[in-house]
Amino acid sequence: MSTIFDVLKTVTVNHQPVASPEIVITDPAGKPNGLLTDLLHDLINDALLFVTLTDIASADDLIARLHAHTPLPSDVLDEYGKILTETCYGLNFAPQKGQIEIVVQR
């Protein structure tokens, strides 16, 4: 997995797409990044209602489809594009918290 888009596309929980409360973005030491996590939650809760990730090949394709099929403003979609292409350095599963941590370097 190289980007957050790849994580969203490939990681499932009980054979279902990952839900936003289960995802947290952290640094390599495990410190949560609230800004990126909130942006990712917005993306999952709002934008992904309009598309099915299995039909989409890339983050650029997802943003293009959202431009075509949603009323979301361009600046919001630009921010979604940035988070989707953020490099993922690893995943940490924290079952005691009910979370999947996406590790990014920031």
Side-chain angles (χ1 to χ4, degrees):
M1 281 172 262
S2 58
T3 66
I4 290 178
F5 173 80
D6 298 324
V7 171
L8 293 177
K9 186 163 170 89
T10 59
V11 173
T12 60
V13 176
N14 296 320
H15 302 281
Q16 298 296 314
V18 178
S20 68
E22 298 167 331
I23 295 274
V24 176
I25 297 179
T26 70
D27 68 10
K31 181 181 175 191
N33 183 319
L35 182 64
L36 292 180
T37 298
D38 288 346
L39 182 60
L40 185 60
H41 287 183
D42 287 346
L43 172 67
I44 293 169
N45 291 333
D46 298 336
L48 294 184
L49 296 174
F50 297 97
V51 295
T52 304
L53 282 177
T54 55
D55 300 336
I56 298 173
S58 68
D60 290 336
D61 185 24
L62 173 58
I63 296 302
R65 288 191 192 196
L66 291 174
H67 267 295
H69 300 291
T70 70
L72 294 169
S74 292
D75 61 332
V76 170
L77 294 174
D78 290 343
E79 291 302 312
Y80 288 166
K82 289 176 189 175
I83 188 104
L84 288 167
T85 56
E86 186 79 36
T87 301
C88 174
Y89 289 92
L91 294 175
N92 180 56
F93 294 91
Q96 72 281 10
K97 299 180 201 174
Q99 293 179 336
I100 298 170
E101 298 173 349
I102 300 174
V103 180
V104 300
Q105 195 90 16
R106 274 238 164 165

